[in-house]
Amino acid sequence: MIDETHDPQRRSWVESADGHEDFPIQNLPLGIFSPDDEEPRIGTAIGDHILDLRAISHLLPATLARALSGRTLNELLEYAPAERRSLRQRLSMLLSDRRHEASLRPHLHEARRCSLHVPARIGDYTDFYVGIHHATNIGKLLRPDTPLLPNYKWIPIGYHGRASSIRVSGDRVVRPVGQRRLPDSERPLFGPSTRLDFELELGLWIGSGNRLGEPVAIGDAPRHMAGLSLLNDWSARDFQAWEYQPLGPFLSKNFHTTISPWIVTMEALAPFRTPQAQRPDGDPHPLPYLWDDADQANGAFAIELEVGMRSPEMRNRGLAPHRLSLSDARTMYWTAAQMIAHHTVNGCNLNAGDLLGTGTLSAASPTGLGSLMEMTLAGGAPIRLPTGEERSFLQDGDEISIGGKARADGFVPIGFGPCRAEVSAAKVGLWEAVSRANSPMDHAGSPSSL
Ligand code: MN
């Protein structure tokens, strides 16, 4: 639903908002922030500032007053989209009409002086695998003749991830320690991952949930979507290869997931909905519970995605992040609505604040790959950085940043803010101690064998 909040002519009296890369007045994402060291509260990003919504809740729809006083967005997410839309309309008016400047100005905080938090209490996190080019590229490395497994075009494939280790942009990722096995050996080695990778993804926030035993019909799925963030699904490929059969990823994924702290609402994204790419000739037609004509007509997102990387050497030389990849959310083989319909078809209940990852969104071209695993062909063909350094996988001190920009003709583009994190060294003291205590005769755990 396009309304006056999307009007490209609309301007804010917050000067930095006009032409802002991510947060012009047409965006108004929701998040949880702390000004200086004060307690967390709900805010919206506007230009270089954050507006404290708790402090101005008396100016906002009265029905939302309690939800707006929360320390997480869960209660607000639970409301029907119409309620969030009225909040958006009100905020858009307050931030564009100069008559409200005097009353709002005291509640605007410079974003650089604020800390941002995971925006919701995430009860459950599920990661899908709807990036078909990623699934094909990874499949080719394992099975050159039949890269996609027979279920791929019938089922939006996913696995249950870990909510407790989801962190916002800026929090360091500690290199995980665990088991890996070299191809020619029977025994696994133990130690820090030597094949640490990232995955370029979008995160879909669940709004109102569904009751246990009551599936969400695909036509109703949009009512359950609250918004999107950027997501980096850090992955230890060496652990993954050893552990994933028969039940799927476990410790290779659950040590850390980075998200951008702002929820860009579905209402803000309305102008950027676009038709789902047609399935290639010969692909099966999905089962009826996964098909909705309206979803096919505008269930995709016109969002450009990019990945940047910076090594410690690049940082020392003052170099900007090097673009590794330019991809697009239109590469999703299954839509967000199809993900929700499938997740709940067996009666599984989703709750407000749950997070669904899309899976790695690689483009079809080699310049748009969403993981190092694909770029380096499982480590065999290292990439080269502007400093001449090479990488097969991430080293300590490397920084990965994901960016996203929604664009459509006739509308002001909107962004997501940063989704960035630096890799820090494994806690070696800890893993050495674990290794010694558990396996006194096993040299596999010593640093020299890495
Ligand atoms: Mn993933």
Side-chain angles (χ1 to χ4, degrees):
M1 278 218 274
I2 311 280
D3 61 26
E4 75 281 5
T5 64
H6 305 101
D7 181 353
Q9 304 307 324
R10 189 164 271 207
R11 299 271 183 275
S12 176
W13 47 260
V14 179
E15 296 78 15
S16 61
D18 287 343
H20 193 276
E21 211 182 334
D22 290 326
F23 307 127
I25 193 168
Q26 288 79 9
N27 193 343
L28 303 175
L30 298 170
I32 299 290
F33 77 108
S34 298
D36 297 310
D37 283 328
E38 292 174 44
E39 57 178 357
R41 79 265 327 250
I42 298 176
T44 190
I46 177 79
D48 293 339
H49 284 73
I50 300 174
L51 178 63
D52 183 338
L53 299 193
R54 186 180 70 178
I56 63 153
S57 62
H58 57 287
L59 300 172
L60 300 173
T63 46
L64 300 179
R66 212 186 73 156
L68 288 168
S69 69
R71 279 166 162 263
T72 69
L73 286 172
N74 292 71
E75 204 175 324
L76 196 57
L77 295 177
E78 230 172 301
Y79 278 97
E83 296 283 344
R84 274 196 308 278
R85 184 161 174 242
S86 68
L87 171 64
R88 173 180 167 82
Q89 288 171 327
R90 183 79 186 156
L91 286 172
S92 177
M93 187 278 289
L94 291 169
L95 285 164
S96 57
D97 187 336
R98 269 203 186 275
R99 285 173 299 181
H100 297 285
E101 179 176 351
S103 50
L104 264 64
R105 187 64 84 174
H107 307 295
L108 273 180
H109 300 269
E110 275 183 87
R112 63 184 179 86
R113 299 177 57 105
C114 298
S115 42
L116 284 146
H117 309 285
V118 174
R121 205 173 47 252
I122 304 171
D124 280 296
Y125 161 52
T126 303
D127 198 22
F128 281 88
Y129 199 53
V130 307
I132 191 168
H133 304 301
H134 172 76
T136 307
N137 293 337
I138 296 293
K140 262 186 203 154
L141 295 169
L142 303 170
R143 301 171 298 274
D145 300 332
T146 52
L148 286 180
L149 291 170
N151 56 9
Y152 191 84
K153 293 179 173 178
W154 293 99
I155 293 176
I157 300 291
Y159 68 95
H160 284 117
R162 183 82 192 165
S164 66
S165 53
I166 297 173
R167 292 290 181 277
V168 284
S169 178
D171 280 17
R172 280 164 180 264
V173 181
V174 177
R175 181 180 299 274
V177 165
Q179 288 194 27
R180 65 186 195 283
R181 199 188 65 172
L182 300 178
D184 51 359
S185 86
E186 251 171 59
R187 285 175 65 82
L189 303 176
F190 181 79
S193 170
T194 59
R195 290 160 78 86
L196 184 60
D197 198 357
F198 64 86
E199 289 191 340
L200 166 63
E201 305 196 17
L202 281 173
L204 170 66
W205 292 95
I206 297 300
S208 65
N210 61 302
R211 290 212 190 116
L212 183 64
E214 296 180 8
V216 175
I218 188 163
D220 290 333
R223 277 200 310 116
H224 297 269
M225 301 177 194
L228 300 179
S229 293
L230 305 171
L231 187 151
N232 182 349
D233 176 21
W234 299 95
S235 301
R237 301 300 181 193
D238 39 2
F239 303 171
Q240 190 176 355
W242 173 225
E243 75 176 2
Y244 87 105
Q245 286 172 320
L247 290 184
F250 186 37
L251 304 186
S252 55
K253 300 279 195 171
N254 69 4
F255 56 95
H256 199 119
T257 302
T258 301
I259 55 170
S260 57
W262 295 104
I263 299 183
V264 176
T265 65
M266 297 310 290
E267 294 73 44
L269 289 165
F272 312 103
R273 302 309 296 270
T274 186
Q276 172 66 354
Q278 256 192 328
R279 293 188 157 217
D281 285 345
D283 280 12
H285 194 278
L287 297 181
Y289 81 93
L290 289 171
W291 190 264
D292 177 60
D293 288 336
D295 180 48
Q296 292 298 311
N298 77 342
F301 297 94
I303 300 174
E304 295 168 6
L305 298 164
E306 71 173 310
V307 183
M309 173 168 174
R310 198 152 62 148
S311 66
E313 173 69 16
M314 291 172 68
R315 230 175 1 253
N316 290 342
R317 293 209 213 159
L319 299 176
H322 170 65
R323 181 190 278 172
L324 290 183
S325 178
L326 187 60
S327 186
D328 201 293
R330 279 164 285 206
T331 56
M332 288 165 65
Y333 186 78
W334 298 96
T335 66
Q338 287 173 320
M339 285 158 51
I340 289 177
H342 185 65
H343 202 313
T344 62
V345 72
N346 65 344
C348 176
N349 53 325
L350 299 175
N351 290 302
D354 283 359
L355 185 63
L356 310 186
T358 54
T360 309
L361 298 180
S362 294
S365 82
T367 57
L369 302 175
S371 67
L372 284 173
M373 187 72 179
E374 295 165 85
M375 288 176 205
T376 68
L377 301 171
I383 56 160
R384 185 177 279 267
L385 299 173
T387 47
E389 297 170 282
E390 290 191 339
R391 288 290 187 277
S392 297
F393 291 96
L394 297 170
Q395 295 188 5
D396 295 344
D398 287 348
E399 174 192 292
I400 292 292
S401 49
I402 292 177
K405 183 67 76 78
R407 279 185 213 279
D409 285 345
F411 292 93
V412 175
I414 62 174
F416 289 80
C419 179
R420 182 170 52 226
E422 188 183 314
V423 176
S424 65
K427 299 202 165 148
V428 170
L430 185 66
W431 75 261
E432 275 181 347
V434 171
S435 181
R436 261 196 310 276
N438 293 349
S439 180
M441 298 181 309
D442 182 3
H443 294 284
S446 71
S448 58
S449 69
L450 293 180

